[in-house]
Amino acid sequence: MVINKKISGKAVPMPIGYAAGAAVSLLLTLIGTAVIVNAVLGGKMAESSIGYGAITILLAASAFGAWLAAALIKRRWMIVCLGAGAIYYLTLLGITALFFGGQYQGMGVTALVILAGCGAVGLLGLKGEGMGRKRRKKYRHR
């Protein structure tokens, strides 16, 4: 059996996809932080639960940034997701060094949370191409 594959050519280069994923991750981090600050100042959230909010923000931001990068690049889904997470983590390290004087506290937990978010998206994107019957792909003639 032959699978017809159309060549669309709509994928972006890897640096552009990684940059878009990191930018969206940082934007979601800033928005989530503003929401948590507003909730704490408004009395809707206790100060003791800020850590849980930070973990939720990191998980969601890394997952969405990895998904966007992989959706734009359109190949090597798992590698792209983990690469987007690594760039997001290194960006957070740079922000910590620049604005907070290098007080690296809780960076191991942050790395694990970002790895969990990007890894989950990477696993969801795998299609199981190694299983089942082998089919020959027929590409459209240009």
Side-chain angles (χ1 to χ4, degrees), residues 3 126-135 137:
I3 301 172
L126 296 178
K127 297 180 180 95
E129 295 171 352
M131 306 265 182
R133 233 173 21 177
K134 299 291 180 187
R135 293 184 178 137
K137 293 180 182 176

Side-chain angles (χ1 to χ4, degrees), residues 24-120:
V24 167
S25 292
L26 287 175
L27 182 69
L28 287 177
T29 303
L30 290 175
I31 291 171
T33 304
V35 168
I36 286 183
V37 165
N38 192 15
V40 169
L41 290 178
K44 297 175 182 154
M45 185 174 167
E47 288 184 26
S48 61
S49 61
I50 291 176
Y52 296 117
I55 288 174
T56 305
I57 290 170
L58 288 173
L59 190 68
S62 65
F64 192 72
W67 174 80
L68 181 68
L72 288 176
I73 294 173
K74 296 186 181 183
R75 61 184 177 272
R76 295 185 175 182
W77 191 274
M78 187 66 157
I79 295 172
V80 169
C81 287
L82 293 177
I87 290 172
Y88 177 54
Y89 180 71
L90 291 175
T91 305
L92 290 178
L93 275 177
I95 289 172
T96 302
L98 188 63
F99 293 117
F100 300 110
Q103 295 179 356
Y104 299 109
Q105 296 175 346
M107 296 311 291
V109 175
T110 302
L112 289 176
V113 170
I114 290 174
L115 179 67
C118 296

